[in-house]
Amino acid sequence: MDIFGFISSNLEQTLFLTWEHIWLVGLSLFIATITGIPIGIAITKNKRIAAKILGSANIMMTIPSIALFGLMLPILAVFGFGLGKVPAVIALVLYSELPIIRNTYVAINNVDPALVDAGRGMGLPKWKLLKEVEIPLAIPVILAGLRTAAVMNIGIAAIAAYIGAGGLGVFIQQGIARSYEEMILTGALSVSMLAIVVDAGMAMLERAVTSSGVKLERKNL
Amino acid sequence: MSSTLAKLYRFILIALLLACGIAAERIGLVEYLSDPWEFEYLLLLIRQHIYLVGISISMALFTGLLVGIVVSRKRFRRYAGVVMYIVGLGQTIPSLAVLAMVMSFLGIGSKPAIFALFVYSTLPIARNTLAGILAVPSSYLDAARGIGMSPMRILFEVELPNAMTVILTGVRIALVINIGTAALGYLIGAGGLGDLIFTGINLMQPEKLLAGALPTTLLALAGDYLVELAGLVLIPRGLRLAKT
């Protein structure tokens, strides 16, 4: 099997599909982040609503991705978006909400109340308390949620090739359809590599944004 | 305020359910399922799906628990970090990629699919078994040793019961992922409910698509619930009390 031969003779397509894959995952992650983090912060104020939202998101995660594409297709087809990138991005956003909301909620809830009290005692207004005390302390856990979502999304985006969303899953899909082994392996290996690289990158980012005070505290534990 | 919201939530749930029913009728799902031949075929596919999931998850349970328990023994404990790293790396690999790789090495059919599902669901079980046992406080082990328990009894009466919550979480993740991935098994010729989903997408037949997607979703939700029920039996009462 000559994977490198396949890649070098289809370099342009490989690069394009990789870019498409990153684009799909990046866009959905961006949307999920700007909606998920505010929701996660908002529900820390009300435990009952929090339980309901986390419960719904949990059920969402249980639905297998290919089944979700299937369930959405007839609904979105009414608006003319049954196949292609739109349903893929919607599904990816829905799947990444749970890890992001849950981690934000848990992280903010776990901030030591004494620290929040201290901030309040210094006369910080509510939004400043959030910005300068709660979020900096919570950010490593929030990023861990983003990391989970990113890795999962790369895998689901590969399946989305079957509803015509493009991305590296196209190599797997077409390869299986044509029994073209090099193509299948190129798709499978490049998707796996992408997931591993993103996972490692997010882990590094997690370390980089942890404020040095928190790091010191962890070391002393 | 919150009781109004709770009422609204219930109302939305009921409205959604109604809308789903109307949609099912309009799309033709009801008609599709009342065709005896198609219904028979659906039942066959559900049986195939459960067969794929059942065999692979039982093998994964056995292997995952075994790996987790062996690596957490004192003699092998120094390899725990390496095992965790490898398992974590394996979990990063997308399910479709695992299936595709297995297919190109083992060919098509239900055996390669079961193998892929088995490997993929062993990872979370092994990881959580190991993590759960390593998280048991060492004072418990000291106490057990102090009253003269043998290592075997410590494992079954102290370590496993205390780790059970974490282990079951791993099993639940494995089972849910397994049911979803089994739907992709159709692509490498293993049958299962993916048959209806992929055919439905290719032919743009929503009724066929839903006839495959709905049972897959229900199976996953049922699997999730089943593991939760197992928790009621397997997690000792004392530990459950401590949590609430």
Side-chain angles (χ1 to χ4, degrees):
Chain A
M1 258 175 285
D2 185 15
I3 297 172
F4 292 106
F6 177 86
I7 295 180
S8 60
S9 53
N10 295 287
L11 189 61
E12 210 166 306
Q13 197 191 4
T14 312
L15 288 178
F16 174 73
L17 290 178
T18 311
W19 163 243
E20 210 174 19
H21 208 99
I22 295 173
W23 183 87
L24 271 176
V25 173
L27 177 69
S28 50
L29 213 57
F30 175 72
I31 299 174
T33 308
I34 56 171
T35 52
I37 291 182
I39 293 177
I41 293 174
I43 60 175
T44 52
K45 305 280 178 265
N46 188 330
K47 272 224 166 77
R48 279 184 54 195
I49 296 181
K52 282 206 173 111
I53 290 196
L54 289 177
S56 316
N58 222 339
I59 291 176
M60 187 63 231
M61 285 286 284
T62 314
I63 302 177
S65 48
I66 186 65
L68 182 68
F69 290 137
L71 294 176
M72 289 194 323
L73 205 147
I75 302 170
L76 291 173
V78 177
F79 308 103
F81 290 128
L83 293 172
K85 289 204 167 54
V86 177
V89 170
I90 294 177
L92 290 177
V93 169
L94 287 175
Y95 276 116
S96 21
E97 291 287 1
L98 174 71
I100 294 176
I101 294 179
R102 187 186 48 202
N103 279 35
T104 309
Y105 175 75
V106 169
I108 301 260
N109 254 356
N110 279 357
V111 171
D112 189 350
L115 297 175
V116 181
D117 267 353
R120 209 175 288 140
M122 284 165 58
L124 290 178
K126 252 187 191 160
W127 64 272
K128 237 181 169 172
L129 205 60
L130 197 64
K131 185 178 145 234
E132 293 188 5
V133 180
E134 291 180 315
I135 289 185
L137 285 170
I139 208 98
V141 181
I142 296 179
L143 268 179
L146 271 171
R147 180 177 161 196
T148 315
V151 170
M152 200 175 58
N153 270 2
I154 290 174
I156 297 171
I159 298 170
Y162 280 92
I163 57 164
L168 285 164
V170 170
F171 274 154
I172 300 178
Q173 179 209 3
Q174 305 249 323
I176 290 178
R178 300 183 203 166
S179 299
Y180 189 175
E181 230 156 77
E182 284 84 355
M183 200 175 205
I184 301 177
L185 276 181
T186 304
L189 290 176
S190 49
V191 166
S192 311
M193 283 300 293
L194 189 62
I196 290 171
V197 167
V198 167
D199 189 52
M202 295 287 274
M204 262 155 61
L205 192 67
E206 232 172 277
R207 255 180 310 231
V209 296
T210 308
S211 73
S212 47
V214 176
K215 260 187 220 159
L216 206 67
E217 206 171 89
R218 270 192 208 153
K219 214 185 250 171
N220 290 338
L221 273 176
Chain B
M1 160 76 180
S2 58
S3 76
T4 334
L5 271 175
K7 253 182 215 155
L8 184 72
Y9 187 79
R10 224 170 296 151
F11 177 74
I12 291 175
L13 274 187
I14 293 172
L16 264 178
L17 218 62
L18 263 173
C20 286
I22 295 170
E25 168 61 36
R26 283 292 297 275
I27 286 168
L29 182 66
V30 176
E31 198 185 347
Y32 179 84
L33 288 181
S34 43
D35 181 337
W37 196 83
E38 297 282 11
F39 191 67
E40 198 76 354
Y41 188 55
L42 176 67
L43 287 183
L44 171 77
L45 291 179
I46 292 178
R47 269 201 301 277
Q48 258 177 2
H49 206 99
I50 293 175
Y51 168 80
L52 289 176
V53 172
I55 291 193
S56 58
I57 201 79
S58 3
M59 277 161 45
L61 259 177
F62 179 75
T63 324
L65 284 172
L66 196 69
V67 170
I69 290 172
V70 167
V71 177
S72 66
R73 294 307 89 195
K74 230 187 205 117
R75 218 180 314 160
F76 301 105
R77 204 163 265 200
R78 57 204 154 113
Y79 303 116
V82 184
V83 172
M84 281 291 227
Y85 181 76
I86 295 172
V87 169
L89 207 64
Q91 273 186 302
T92 318
I93 297 174
S95 52
L96 184 62
V98 173
L99 273 176
M101 281 189 253
V102 166
M103 177 196 157
S104 53
F105 293 120
L106 296 180
I108 56 170
S110 57
K111 276 193 195 114
I114 289 175
F115 179 73
L117 291 174
F118 154 67
V119 172
Y120 207 54
S121 31
T122 302
L123 301 177
I125 297 178
R127 183 192 193 125
N128 280 34
T129 308
L130 184 55
I133 292 182
L134 289 184
V136 175
S138 55
S139 56
Y140 293 11
L141 302 181
D142 277 347
R145 224 171 287 135
I147 60 169
M149 278 187 168
S150 65
M152 219 28 152
R153 274 188 70 192
I154 293 182
L155 173 65
F156 282 104
E157 291 177 24
V158 181
E159 289 181 303
L160 283 181
N162 274 296
M164 197 47 88
T165 316
V166 183
I167 297 177
L168 281 179
T169 311
V171 173
R172 191 164 68 194
I173 296 172
L175 185 59
V176 169
I177 292 181
N178 193 317
I179 292 172
T181 310
L184 303 175
Y186 163 72
L187 300 172
I188 64 169
L193 286 162
D195 185 330
L196 290 176
I197 302 179
F198 286 105
T199 320
I201 291 176
N202 289 337
L203 301 177
M204 266 315 251
Q205 283 187 346
E207 70 278 9
K208 203 163 212 170
L209 183 62
L210 286 178
L214 282 175
T216 313
T217 310
L218 290 179
L219 266 183
L221 291 173
D224 189 66
Y225 187 65
L226 204 72
V227 179
E228 214 169 307
L229 281 185
L232 289 182
V233 181
L234 291 172
I235 300 173
R237 211 170 55 207
L239 282 175
R240 254 181 289 140
L241 276 179
K243 216 167 52 179
T244 53

